[in-house]
Amino acid sequence: MNEEFYEQVFEKIDFSKQVILGKEYDSCTFKNCDFSNTNLSNKDFIDCTFESCNLSSVNLNNTSLKTVKFIDCKIIGVDFSISKEFLFSVYFKNCSLNYTYFFKNKLKKTKFEHCQIQEANFSEADLTGATFNHCDLLNTVFEQTNLTQTDFRTAEHYAINPEKNNIKKAKFSYDGIRGLLYQYDIVIE
């Protein structure tokens, strides 16, 4: 890829087999592209959309993700905690986010919709006002996480220890109460 791309659409490109030279991608759309194991370090993605892309094991070291949408993407084993914090803003819909790492990420009001987020880690992240709409959170870690006003009403398989997280005004369904009481080894019928 060349140095800079603006308002472009990239379709069916296998980026995993080439060096990506560009630094800034503004208002770009990537459709059905393969970024697996690609080094995206020191890149800036601004108002970009990734649709039906494979971003598994992508390297986001010092990468800017500013208002970036991921739709129908496979994003397995990605460490978002090493990306740039400044103006970090992401949205996920119908994505597989298994084994992702969001350690200390600021994810205020982030929407996760219809995502599989198994064995992920949100330790020390700020998820204030975030939404996990119809997400599977099996074995996902929430430790010292700010979950103030976070919406888990339609999420499933989560296990959150209220003593180790801030859950003030977080929203849970009646059926989801089990995920808050798991550490007490009690029977709920």
Side-chain angles (χ1 to χ4, degrees), residues 171-185:
K171 299 172 186 169
F172 300 93
S173 69
Y174 183 75
D175 292 336
I177 297 296
R178 185 175 297 129
L180 296 173
L181 302 174
Y182 75 96
Q183 71 274 4
Y184 299 113
D185 197 24

Side-chain angles (χ1 to χ4, degrees), residues 1 5-10 23-31 35 43-51 64-71 73 89-91:
M1 291 173 77
F5 289 96
Y6 294 93
E7 298 182 20
Q8 290 201 2
V9 176
F10 301 92
K23 168 88 174 98
E24 185 175 307
Y25 302 91
D26 193 338
S27 302
C28 293
T29 299
F30 300 90
K31 292 183 179 181
F35 289 91
K43 309 287 184 215
D44 295 326
F45 294 94
I46 304 159
D47 297 320
C48 291
T49 301
F50 292 84
E51 293 180 28
S64 290
L65 299 171
K66 300 173 184 173
T67 317
V68 176
K69 295 179 182 178
F70 298 94
I71 301 168
C73 291
S89 176
V90 289
Y91 165 81

Side-chain angles (χ1 to χ4, degrees), residues 22 46 48 51-52 54 63 75-76 97 108 119 132 146 160:
I46 304 159
C48 291
E51 293 180 28
S52 302
N54 182 358
T63 301
I75 311 170
I76 296 176
L97 290 158
K108 290 182 177 183
E119 312 237 3
F132 289 93
N146 186 350
I160 298 169

Side-chain angles (χ1 to χ4, degrees), residues 100-111:
T100 51
Y101 197 64
F102 291 95
F103 180 71
K104 292 189 176 183
N105 279 104
K106 303 229 182 309
L107 297 158
K108 290 182 177 183
K109 298 185 180 180
T110 298
K111 289 190 185 331

